[in-house]
Amino acid sequence: MVPRRSFTIDTEKTTRTIYVLGTELTVNLNRNAPPQSKFFSIKCSPNVHYKITPQARDRNADSYPLTPNAVLIVTMDAVSKTANDSKLSVRYFGEKTEALGDALLHLTAVEISLDVDADRDGIVEKNNPNKGSWKWGPNGHGAILLVNCDSETTNKKTLDSEVEEIRKVSDLQDMSKMILRTNGPAELPEGYKLTMHISQTTSENVRVFRPRTNNNAFWSLYKNKLLKLFLKDYIMVVGTDMLTQKVPYLGGKTELEFFVEGLRFPDKDFDGLITINLSLLEPCGKGFPETPVFTDKVVFHISPWIMTPNTLKPVEVYVCSTDDNHSFLKSIRNLVEKCGYKLKICYEYMNRGDRWMQDELEFGYIDSPHHQFPVVLDSPRDGDLQDFPYESILGPDFGYVTRHALNEEVSSLDSFGNLEVSPPVTVNGKSYPLGRIIIGVAFPTATSGRNMTQVVQDFLWAQKVQAPIALYSDWLVVGHVDEFMTFVPAPDRKKFRLLLASPDAGYKVFKSLQNNGHGNAEMFPGLPEAISVNEILSDKKLQAGNRYVQNCIDWNRDVLKKELGLDDEDIIDLPILFQVLEEKKGARAVAYYPDMVNMIVLGDQLGIPKPFGPKVNGRCALETEVRSLLEPLGLKCTFIDDFAPYHKLLGEVHCGSNVLREASPFKWWNLEL
Amino acid sequence: MVPRRSFTIDTEKTTRTIYVLGTELTVNLNRNAPPQSKFFSIKCSPNVHYKITPQARDRNADSYPLTPNAVLIVTMDAVSKTANDSKLSVRYFGEKTEALGDALLHLTAVEISLDVDADRDGIVEKNNPNKGSWKWGPNGHGAILLVNCDSETTNKKTLDSEVEEIRKVSDLQDMSKMILRTNGPAELPEGYKLTMHISQTTSENVRVFRPRTNNNAFWSLYKNKLLKLFLKDYIMVVGTDMLTQKVPYLGGKTELEFFVEGLRFPDKDFDGLITINLSLLEPCGKGFPETPVFTDKVVFHISPWIMTPNTLKPVEVYVCSTDDNHSFLKSIRNLVEKCGYKLKICYEYMNRGDRWMQDELEFGYIDSPHHQFPVVLDSPRDGDLQDFPYESILGPDFGYVTRHALNEEVSSLDSFGNLEVSPPVTVNGKSYPLGRIIIGVAFPTATSGRNMTQVVQDFLWAQKVQAPIALYSDWLVVGHVDEFMTFVPAPDRKKFRLLLASPDAGYKVFKSLQNNGHGNAEMFPGLPEAISVNEILSDKKLQAGNRYVQNCIDWNRDVLKKELGLDDEDIIDLPILFQVLEEKKGARAVAYYPDMVNMIVLGDQLGIPKPFGPKVNGRCALETEVRSLLEPLGLKCTFIDDFAPYHKLLGEVHCGSNVLREASPFKWWNLEL
């Protein structure tokens, strides 16, 4: 719809105004007509066009009857060379042919367009008709904004979004370009001005910068790209405590570049949408404020924080070095080097003995058509590793975000071993090309009260593009979903399998061993914990506990089947037994032997906790079983001894590592939400 | 999709479980099969049914090959009379015909359904397939909840929602019924229990009550409707600090009634949706927590707060009595009595001289299929009238809601003369059958900083069903949209007209008077302010100010045309002049003579501020002009003298009154959002 502006002309004095190309001036011809006016005629410069509604029949060659609702609609098709260079006049007549008065209008035509990359191709196109709204999907539209949550500096770090100025020219890369395109006379008629404005709420979420333009020589060099701008050459236009500010009109055909910086991720109280307005204000005479005569607006959506499933290509593996994990570290290094990925070790001065690299942080990324970078989500867990994400990961083009628990207790369920994401799935026709986030909560029995903090849950749900699923993980002592499930790539079906820990599958292996005459073979061979297959199978308490555990996992299995659209054929049960411990707040489970589902997935290479199962012909029966389940999918199993430094402390390989992965090739704005 | 439950059977001991009608038990036949099992056969009670996937061909009459993915799907079609009265057994065979083992399963079939009025007809139907989700529109579904924001008591008032217990049995009318329908044996098998549960977030927004059932005799009387329940007979099941609680299974075919109480209106951080879950928990043996085996859920949407446009039928008119408004009050009483509506007077002991009844509060209502009542929104303005909404309006079936400004300055723009609602409109094919809310803000020039508080704006936007429009009202000293616009009913076109104050229309009247020889006629005749038409027309400062005002109103006119889909023919310009005053923070406008657009609309009767215009043939020319514009629409104009007690204090009839109106016949849940 063409923007229309109601306008009044006057027979008592000449009216002057600016006309913005692409709009319509609607003049109520009756409003200021001289009394007794019955007819009118119109004259105008050749570049001024008009029509009259309701459509009027001429009285003679060039005059029309002045009906009660007569409206003149004025348009122009080219910008003015000088101020007020176009004219229109209305002559009013009574019943006779002598004129009752002339209303003169002097027009200055300009072109004004606040532009963004609304078609999401990385280029700021001119005046996209959809720039003022935002729509999801491949046929959607609307510009994209990144939260400037990295740090251009590595010394004395702060998030760039927490600093009111631009700190390095490279920081502009993290912002979205917005261009004010104007065309018209060298100067606007006196008293007119352009202002950019945002709402109070928006000012918490965005800042807009532009190059300083206070010097014509400077500006001319800049326009001709003969000048490199320095930090001091950029100023903030709108942002915190600055809701509106004048922006320069530079004359002729000009493009003034703005840089838009996102400050906040979508959250429970912020849908991620940001509107920026530009108005042309008209002077109303001495002593009166200006009034707006034209407003243009653009809408951005902040990129959500997006997690990366196990099926995406690894970039770098993170692991802690402690005084007791030397051989584990060596195994991980071997595996990672074999795969050709980078290994990043967090040393003890930083980790202070906290080895749970999985739990302190989650890697994700933010994405826009013009730029993309990884962002670490720092858990409210805050163990001794708590400084690592900020101190060692945050940096240029590596963002950081965290949520602090307020008036809530942080529990073990807030560790990010309890935050995973599925590969892409389609569920009852609804597609989740970025997968679905998976967390563990106390639901549905909920008496104990351990839960993931609401601030983190709110954050995850607000990102929208990986609609979370809440599983029931509070039945575990540690309480993390990665204790009973993971995803591995597969060549067929949905291109992945869900692996679930299964006590039933575990007992099946042990019963089969007994049945085949290996009842005396020892679990944990050579370790102080050694125990025979027969002894394990005769432990009624262990059995009862595992029945309970299987029930808990089966509940989650049913939820995952439903929410990820999985068939039984998409799921592989790994033979893992649990042990139920009596705790103050009730019975909870831990893995009885190294929990093989708690693996690191690096492409087709799996680093699996070495289970120390009973040996048959010198081979671990549990490893054999797991290989037989996974190798047909083209997966390579490396069993890693994590017994002393991880398993005995209630974690395994996955808990002790983290993987930075490539971003998905799927663009989040192409989702149909 | 039928809910499926993964389940394990065992050859070593008989398994017992509850089967919930309408679900499927899926048994992985391989999981606990004896080693070397190759085939299996199945026997079961006549009311137990099964199928096997993948579809298996019989080896002979009654045995099937045990494929790696063999799954048994069990269903039942009638509830059990006693616990464990139905059986199923699986016999495993090796290559030969002798059995390797039998897995026995004892089943108790029950029917469980947590029910709500998901089809919105006022009746809680049984197990609506859509009860677990919520969808807008006439083909939508999902139950409705009211915020229990009235007060059953009139002494020592508190909002009912702020009291943890039910205060009168009548309070149950304000809640939504929810029924737990169960059918099965007299008692559940030992250790099973039903629990209701909600999330932490939901617990801030809802409470659920039920009758006490601790006594069988009591319960039997209640079930047979032979007993009247008293307050002490109701207990809270879930709500604040109570996320989960056991609910009784009453045996046989029973309906247990619950009462669901909404606590919070939708807001920036709450989308209005509430989920309530019911789970059946299964015992897992001594020392283990129960595990869930079946979960049912229902979803409610809280009714938004809905405003009533001028086109809805009035019920009651509110006005203040002050020591100086006796004759005004009499005029209002005459008008209201003539129309046959009720008049409610707020006396001076309550209003303490604050006469701005429009500004302190806004009437609206909440609606559900089972109940509806008016709700007053109390402004954060808090003048001397501030106690009136709570003390005098809140009561049984008259709700109350307010928002308090936090860290924000409350300005004149927070008065609810600055909060209006349009009649129903359709804009570019999008229909707003409840109209659109209209507020005034500082946008788009925004330098002065006066604005409606963010908390109120957030509240209004979050109600969703009357998508707000922000106008520019900060150019006025008082800054309320009702100073330049109102809506009146009309028989044709869109069934209403938008009336706008128009200085141009005002000057047109005065010029016409001058032209017709009435230049010496006096504005404000007989008042100390008396001034001739000629003098008014020669006042260049007044003229310049009105040019500015017309520009400001025209900006709003263009926004209203666009956002309400109006044509010029839907708008009537009323002849009103303004005066621009120099204020500290710049020039702002007030009405020069009584602002006729600030009228009270009671059906086709309009109570209009008496303008005290110049008299022609003994008749006020401004009244004559306004009558000529409005009477053709069937509207009756009564001009009310508000000069001394209202106009001189910068307000008029509308500012000094308020109208409680009937709710719209359109049901908000039928909106297509």
Side-chain angles (χ1 to χ4, degrees):
Chain A
M1 219 171 67
V2 176
R4 290 190 161 185
R5 177 180 158 213
S6 296
F7 189 70
T8 306
I9 53 174
D10 199 333
T11 51
E12 292 182 10
K13 66 165 200 260
T14 300
T15 316
R16 291 179 180 81
T17 197
I18 285 193
Y19 169 83
V20 179
L21 258 61
T23 67
E24 291 179 349
L25 275 186
T26 65
V27 181
N28 182 323
L29 288 172
N30 261 293
R31 264 201 193 173
N32 282 3
Q36 274 89 45
S37 297
K38 301 283 182 212
F39 298 91
F40 65 95
S41 67
I42 292 173
K43 282 189 187 165
C44 59
S45 313
N47 60 333
V48 178
H49 310 279
Y50 65 88
K51 55 182 186 188
I52 296 156
T53 65
Q55 238 182 342
R57 204 173 293 178
D58 298 14
R59 180 171 64 153
N60 51 41
D62 56 13
S63 89
Y64 308 89
L66 183 65
T67 57
N69 296 318
V71 171
L72 180 71
I73 299 173
V74 180
T75 56
M76 294 175 69
D77 54 16
V79 300
S80 294
K81 294 205 163 47
T82 59
N84 300 306
D85 65 0
S86 302
K87 318 273 193 285
L88 179 139
S89 71
V90 178
R91 174 163 292 184
Y92 290 95
F93 304 92
E95 292 292 355
K96 300 181 185 157
T97 53
E98 77 213 58
L100 298 176
D102 289 313
L104 298 179
L105 173 60
H106 290 188
L107 291 156
T108 309
V110 297
E111 217 175 342
I112 299 174
S113 168
L114 186 63
D115 290 330
V116 291
D117 178 17
D119 60 2
R120 305 162 179 172
D121 64 357
I123 294 159
V124 178
E125 67 275 12
K126 187 170 172 186
N127 213 5
N128 187 310
N130 293 317
K131 67 187 181 181
S133 63
W134 212 93
K135 196 181 153 201
W136 292 90
N139 300 317
H141 58 260
I144 316 280
L145 199 57
L146 299 177
V147 177
N148 195 1
C149 61
D150 67 340
S151 174
E152 296 303 312
T153 57
T154 41
N155 287 330
K156 293 193 184 171
K157 268 193 250 185
T158 332
L159 296 191
D160 292 341
S161 59
E162 289 173 358
V163 187
E164 285 241 336
E165 62 273 13
I166 296 175
R167 290 200 292 177
K168 285 192 171 182
V169 175
S170 61
D171 202 18
L172 299 174
Q173 306 296 325
D174 302 335
M175 305 185 192
S176 295
K177 261 193 204 173
M178 179 167 75
I179 297 178
L180 172 59
R181 291 187 167 99
T182 51
N183 193 1
E187 290 191 353
L188 290 178
E190 200 186 332
Y192 284 85
K193 68 182 190 194
L194 292 167
T195 62
M196 188 165 288
H197 49 101
I198 57 177
S199 72
Q200 181 75 45
T201 313
T202 299
S203 73
E204 296 164 15
N205 305 327
V206 76
R207 277 189 214 112
V208 178
F209 297 91
R210 68 168 175 89
R212 229 180 263 278
T213 50
N214 50 356
N215 174 315
N216 274 348
F218 168 96
W219 184 242
S220 148
L221 288 168
Y222 174 72
K223 277 206 288 186
N224 294 304
K225 300 189 191 298
L226 292 170
L227 191 73
K228 184 173 151 55
L229 292 194
F230 297 97
L231 283 185
K232 62 174 178 49
D233 300 322
Y234 291 93
I235 55 169
M236 190 176 89
V237 185
V238 290
T240 328
D241 298 329
M242 179 72 87
L243 303 188
T244 181
Q245 194 172 159
K246 188 179 167 182
V247 299
Y249 171 84
L250 297 163
K253 189 169 180 179
T254 327
E255 297 196 349
L256 178 56
E257 267 187 359
F258 293 83
F259 297 90
V260 186
E261 179 183 40
L263 304 181
R264 273 182 74 205
F265 280 94
D267 212 328
K268 192 181 178 186
D269 61 353
F270 173 40
D271 63 6
L273 290 171
I274 283 170
T275 300
I276 298 172
N277 308 281
L278 181 93
S279 284
L280 175 63
L281 302 184
E282 184 168 74
C284 284
K286 197 163 170 283
F288 302 113
E290 302 93 346
T291 52
V293 294
F294 170 78
T295 291
D296 208 7
K297 73 168 182 178
V298 295
V299 174
F300 289 91
H301 196 301
I302 295 259
S303 169
W305 177 80
I306 305 166
M307 287 176 61
T308 53
N310 281 355
T311 43
L312 286 172
K313 191 166 184 275
V315 174
E316 198 165 21
V317 174
Y318 286 67
V319 70
C320 288
S321 163
T322 61
D323 60 7
D324 59 354
N325 80 341
H326 180 73
S327 106
F328 171 83
L329 206 55
K330 199 170 150 193
S331 307
I332 292 284
R333 184 192 298 277
N334 286 344
L335 176 65
V336 173
E337 282 178 358
K338 184 166 73 181
C339 303
Y341 308 122
K342 281 189 253 173
L343 182 69
K344 177 143 186 178
I345 294 173
C346 170
Y347 291 99
E348 217 170 349
Y349 75 90
M350 174 63 77
N351 69 47
R352 294 168 285 189
D354 183 351
R355 65 201 65 203
W356 308 114
M357 184 56 88
Q358 182 66 219
D359 291 338
E360 186 55 46
L361 60 98
E362 188 75 36
F363 289 119
Y365 65 96
I366 56 179
D367 199 3
S368 74
H370 56 92
H371 196 38
Q372 174 192 83
F373 57 77
V375 176
V376 61
L377 175 65
D378 188 0
S379 161
R381 161 187 184 262
D382 291 344
D384 284 331
L385 256 174
Q386 66 168 309
D387 297 337
F388 181 67
Y390 194 93
E391 295 300 334
S392 302
I393 298 180
L394 170 64
D397 277 357
F398 209 129
Y400 173 95
V401 58
T402 189
R403 284 295 177 269
H404 299 287
L406 294 167
N407 312 319
E408 300 187 80
E409 208 176 322
V410 173
S411 76
S412 175
L413 272 63
D414 287 299
S415 291
F416 288 163
N418 197 31
L419 169 61
E420 300 298 320
V421 63
S422 82
V425 288
T426 299
V427 188
N428 295 327
K430 185 167 167 52
S431 133
Y432 299 88
L434 295 167
R436 296 189 68 178
I437 287 173
I438 294 168
I439 64 164
V441 298
F443 175 95
T445 54
T447 40
S448 71
R450 279 202 312 181
N451 222 324
M452 183 175 273
T453 46
Q454 203 58 49
V455 280
V456 173
Q457 289 197 45
D458 287 343
F459 174 80
L460 296 174
W461 258 262
Q463 306 313 307
K464 287 193 198 140
V465 297
Q466 299 179 304
I469 302 167
L471 296 182
Y472 170 37
S473 68
D474 193 36
W475 56 274
L476 288 148
V477 170
V478 175
H480 298 174
V481 294
D482 72 347
E483 296 179 82
F484 62 86
M485 58 160 287
T486 193
F487 297 94
V488 292
D492 58 353
R493 296 188 59 84
K494 304 185 168 73
K495 300 291 170 198
F496 70 88
R497 292 288 190 281
L498 165 64
L499 307 187
L500 287 177
S502 169
D504 278 348
Y507 272 102
K508 203 172 164 70
V509 170
F510 287 99
K511 280 183 201 165
S512 174
L513 284 171
Q514 188 181 53
N515 208 56
N516 293 330
H518 301 293
N520 291 322
E522 277 185 342
M523 183 77 218
F524 308 122
L527 293 171
E529 292 83 353
I531 179 172
S532 78
V533 170
N534 289 337
E535 283 172 299
I536 287 174
L537 288 175
S538 64
D539 184 340
K540 294 295 167 198
K541 198 179 154 205
L542 187 69
Q543 205 169 356
N546 276 289
R547 175 94 325 272
Y548 165 66
V549 168
Q550 186 67 59
N551 285 351
C552 294
I553 295 175
D554 277 349
W555 167 260
N556 288 307
R557 177 192 185 96
D558 292 338
V559 173
L560 286 165
K561 279 170 72 174
K562 182 173 169 231
E563 299 293 340
L564 298 179
L566 304 183
D567 301 314
D568 285 315
E569 290 71 22
D570 297 312
I571 304 175
I572 294 175
D573 289 318
L574 297 190
I576 296 157
L577 297 190
F578 287 77
Q579 206 173 358
V580 178
L581 308 180
E582 285 298 327
E583 285 200 315
K584 247 191 243 168
K585 289 186 172 181
R588 286 198 175 117
V590 295
Y592 179 52
Y593 49 81
D595 186 356
M596 292 179 286
V597 82
N598 196 275
M599 62 178 66
I600 185 172
V601 180
L602 300 172
D604 58 2
Q605 294 280 351
L606 311 179
I608 306 175
K610 189 175 177 57
F612 293 92
K615 289 195 173 169
V616 172
N617 303 327
R619 287 196 166 166
C620 168
L622 290 168
E623 291 186 21
T624 304
E625 174 69 7
V626 167
R627 283 185 194 278
S628 78
L629 292 167
L630 300 179
E631 285 178 353
L633 299 171
L635 299 167
K636 283 120 197 157
C637 303
T638 304
F639 290 91
I640 294 173
D641 178 1
D642 70 357
F643 201 84
Y646 292 87
H647 173 69
K648 293 198 115 187
L649 303 175
L650 308 187
E652 315 279 357
V653 174
H654 188 258
C655 305
S657 61
N658 218 319
V659 185
L660 174 68
R661 297 177 190 276
E662 286 184 357
S664 167
F666 184 87
K667 299 304 183 184
W668 62 267
W669 52 87
N670 285 330
L671 265 175
E672 299 276 12
L673 274 198
Chain B
M1 218 171 68
V2 176
R4 291 189 160 183
R5 176 179 159 214
S6 296
F7 189 71
T8 307
I9 52 174
D10 197 333
T11 52
E12 292 182 11
K13 66 166 200 261
T14 299
T15 316
R16 290 178 181 81
T17 197
I18 283 192
Y19 168 83
V20 179
L21 258 62
T23 67
E24 291 179 349
L25 275 185
T26 65
V27 181
N28 181 322
L29 288 170
N30 260 295
R31 262 201 192 173
N32 280 5
Q36 273 90 46
S37 297
K38 302 283 182 212
F39 298 91
F40 65 95
S41 68
I42 291 174
K43 281 186 185 167
C44 60
S45 312
N47 60 333
V48 179
H49 310 279
Y50 66 88
K51 56 181 186 189
I52 295 157
T53 64
Q55 242 184 340
R57 203 174 293 179
D58 299 13
R59 179 170 68 155
N60 51 41
D62 56 13
S63 89
Y64 308 90
L66 183 65
T67 57
N69 294 320
V71 170
L72 181 69
I73 298 174
V74 180
T75 56
M76 293 176 69
D77 54 15
V79 300
S80 293
K81 294 207 164 45
T82 59
N84 299 307
D85 65 0
S86 301
K87 318 272 194 281
L88 178 140
S89 71
V90 179
R91 177 162 289 183
Y92 290 96
F93 304 92
E95 291 293 355
K96 300 179 188 162
T97 54
E98 76 212 58
L100 298 176
D102 289 313
L104 298 179
L105 172 61
H106 289 186
L107 290 158
T108 308
V110 296
E111 217 174 341
I112 300 174
S113 170
L114 186 64
D115 289 331
V116 290
D117 177 17
D119 60 2
R120 306 163 178 172
D121 63 356
I123 295 158
V124 177
E125 67 275 11
K126 188 171 172 184
N127 213 6
N128 187 311
N130 293 319
K131 66 187 182 182
S133 62
W134 212 94
K135 195 180 155 203
W136 292 90
N139 301 316
H141 58 258
I144 317 280
L145 200 56
L146 299 178
V147 176
N148 195 2
C149 61
D150 66 341
S151 174
E152 296 304 312
T153 58
T154 40
N155 286 331
K156 291 192 185 173
K157 271 193 250 182
T158 332
L159 296 191
D160 292 342
S161 59
E162 288 173 359
V163 188
E164 285 242 335
E165 63 273 11
I166 296 177
R167 290 200 294 176
K168 284 192 173 181
V169 174
S170 62
D171 201 18
L172 299 175
Q173 306 295 327
D174 302 335
M175 305 186 191
S176 294
K177 261 193 203 173
M178 178 168 75
I179 298 179
L180 172 59
R181 292 187 166 99
T182 51
N183 193 3
E187 291 190 353
L188 291 177
E190 200 186 332
Y192 284 86
K193 69 182 190 196
L194 292 168
T195 63
M196 188 165 286
H197 49 100
I198 56 177
S199 71
Q200 180 76 44
T201 312
T202 300
S203 73
E204 296 163 16
N205 305 328
V206 77
R207 282 189 210 110
V208 179
F209 297 92
R210 68 168 175 89
R212 231 178 260 280
T213 51
N214 50 356
N215 171 315
N216 274 348
F218 168 98
W219 184 243
S220 147
L221 288 169
Y222 175 72
K223 276 207 289 188
N224 294 302
K225 301 190 192 295
L226 293 170
L227 193 71
K228 183 173 151 56
L229 291 195
F230 297 98
L231 282 185
K232 63 174 178 48
D233 300 322
Y234 291 93
I235 55 171
M236 190 178 87
V237 185
V238 290
T240 329
D241 298 329
M242 179 73 87
L243 303 188
T244 181
Q245 194 170 163
K246 188 178 166 181
V247 298
Y249 171 86
L250 296 164
K253 190 170 179 177
T254 326
E255 297 195 349
L256 179 55
E257 267 186 358
F258 292 83
F259 297 90
V260 186
E261 179 183 40
L263 304 182
R264 272 182 73 204
F265 279 93
D267 213 329
K268 192 180 179 186
D269 61 352
F270 173 41
D271 63 5
L273 290 171
I274 282 171
T275 300
I276 298 172
N277 307 281
L278 181 93
S279 284
L280 175 63
L281 302 184
E282 183 168 76
C284 285
K286 198 163 170 285
F288 301 113
E290 301 95 345
T291 52
V293 294
F294 171 78
T295 291
D296 209 6
K297 76 168 181 179
V298 295
V299 174
F300 289 91
H301 196 300
I302 296 260
S303 169
W305 178 79
I306 304 166
M307 286 176 61
T308 54
N310 281 355
T311 44
L312 286 172
K313 192 167 184 274
V315 174
E316 198 165 22
V317 175
Y318 286 67
V319 71
C320 288
S321 162
T322 60
D323 60 8
D324 59 355
N325 79 343
H326 180 72
S327 106
F328 171 83
L329 205 56
K330 199 170 149 192
S331 307
I332 291 281
R333 185 192 299 277
N334 286 343
L335 177 65
V336 172
E337 281 178 359
K338 183 168 75 181
C339 303
Y341 308 121
K342 281 189 254 175
L343 181 69
K344 180 144 184 175
I345 294 172
C346 170
Y347 290 99
E348 218 172 346
Y349 75 90
M350 174 63 76
N351 69 46
R352 294 169 285 190
D354 182 352
R355 65 202 65 204
W356 308 114
M357 184 55 88
Q358 182 66 220
D359 291 337
E360 185 56 46
L361 59 97
E362 188 74 35
F363 289 118
Y365 65 97
I366 56 178
D367 199 4
S368 74
H370 57 91
H371 196 39
Q372 175 191 82
F373 57 78
V375 176
V376 61
L377 175 65
D378 188 1
S379 160
R381 163 187 185 262
D382 291 346
D384 285 330
L385 257 174
Q386 68 170 304
D387 296 336
F388 181 67
Y390 195 93
E391 294 301 333
S392 302
I393 299 180
L394 170 63
D397 278 357
F398 209 129
Y400 173 95
V401 59
T402 190
R403 284 293 177 272
H404 299 287
L406 295 168
N407 312 319
E408 300 187 80
E409 206 177 323
V410 173
S411 76
S412 174
L413 272 61
D414 287 300
S415 290
F416 288 164
N418 197 30
L419 169 61
E420 299 299 318
V421 64
S422 82
V425 288
T426 298
V427 188
N428 295 327
K430 185 166 167 55
S431 130
Y432 299 88
L434 296 167
R436 298 189 68 178
I437 286 173
I438 294 167
I439 64 165
V441 299
F443 176 94
T445 53
T447 40
S448 72
R450 279 201 314 181
N451 223 324
M452 184 175 273
T453 47
Q454 203 58 49
V455 279
V456 172
Q457 289 198 46
D458 288 343
F459 174 82
L460 296 174
W461 259 262
Q463 306 312 307
K464 286 191 197 143
V465 298
Q466 299 178 303
I469 302 166
L471 295 183
Y472 170 36
S473 68
D474 194 35
W475 56 274
L476 288 148
V477 171
V478 176
H480 298 175
V481 293
D482 73 347
E483 296 179 81
F484 62 86
M485 57 159 289
T486 192
F487 297 95
V488 293
D492 56 353
R493 296 188 58 85
K494 304 188 167 73
K495 300 291 170 198
F496 71 87
R497 291 289 188 282
L498 165 64
L499 307 188
L500 287 177
S502 169
D504 278 346
Y507 272 102
K508 204 174 163 67
V509 170
F510 287 99
K511 280 183 203 166
S512 175
L513 284 171
Q514 188 180 54
N515 209 56
N516 294 328
H518 301 293
N520 291 319
E522 278 185 342
M523 182 77 218
F524 307 123
L527 292 172
E529 292 83 354
I531 179 170
S532 77
V533 169
N534 288 338
E535 285 171 296
I536 289 175
L537 288 175
S538 64
D539 184 339
K540 292 297 167 199
K541 198 179 155 205
L542 187 69
Q543 205 170 355
N546 276 290
R547 175 92 329 268
Y548 165 65
V549 168
Q550 186 67 57
N551 285 351
C552 294
I553 295 176
D554 278 348
W555 168 261
N556 288 306
R557 178 194 186 95
D558 292 337
V559 172
L560 286 165
K561 279 170 73 176
K562 182 173 170 229
E563 299 295 339
L564 299 179
L566 304 183
D567 300 312
D568 285 315
E569 289 72 21
D570 298 310
I571 305 176
I572 294 175
D573 288 320
L574 296 190
I576 297 159
L577 297 190
F578 288 77
Q579 203 172 2
V580 177
L581 308 181
E582 284 299 325
E583 285 201 313
K584 247 191 243 168
K585 290 187 172 181
R588 285 196 175 118
V590 295
Y592 178 54
Y593 48 80
D595 186 357
M596 293 180 284
V597 81
N598 195 275
M599 61 178 66
I600 184 171
V601 180
L602 301 172
D604 57 2
Q605 294 281 350
L606 310 179
I608 305 174
K610 189 175 178 57
F612 292 92
K615 288 193 174 172
V616 174
N617 303 327
R619 286 196 167 166
C620 169
L622 290 168
E623 290 186 23
T624 305
E625 173 70 8
V626 167
R627 282 186 195 278
S628 78
L629 292 167
L630 299 179
E631 285 178 352
L633 299 170
L635 298 167
K636 283 120 199 155
C637 303
T638 304
F639 290 90
I640 295 173
D641 177 0
D642 70 355
F643 200 84
Y646 292 87
H647 173 69
K648 294 199 112 184
L649 303 174
L650 307 188
E652 314 281 357
V653 175
H654 188 258
C655 305
S657 61
N658 217 319
V659 184
L660 173 68
R661 297 179 190 275
E662 286 184 358
S664 167
F666 184 88
K667 299 305 183 183
W668 62 267
W669 51 88
N670 285 331
L671 266 177
E672 300 276 11
L673 274 198

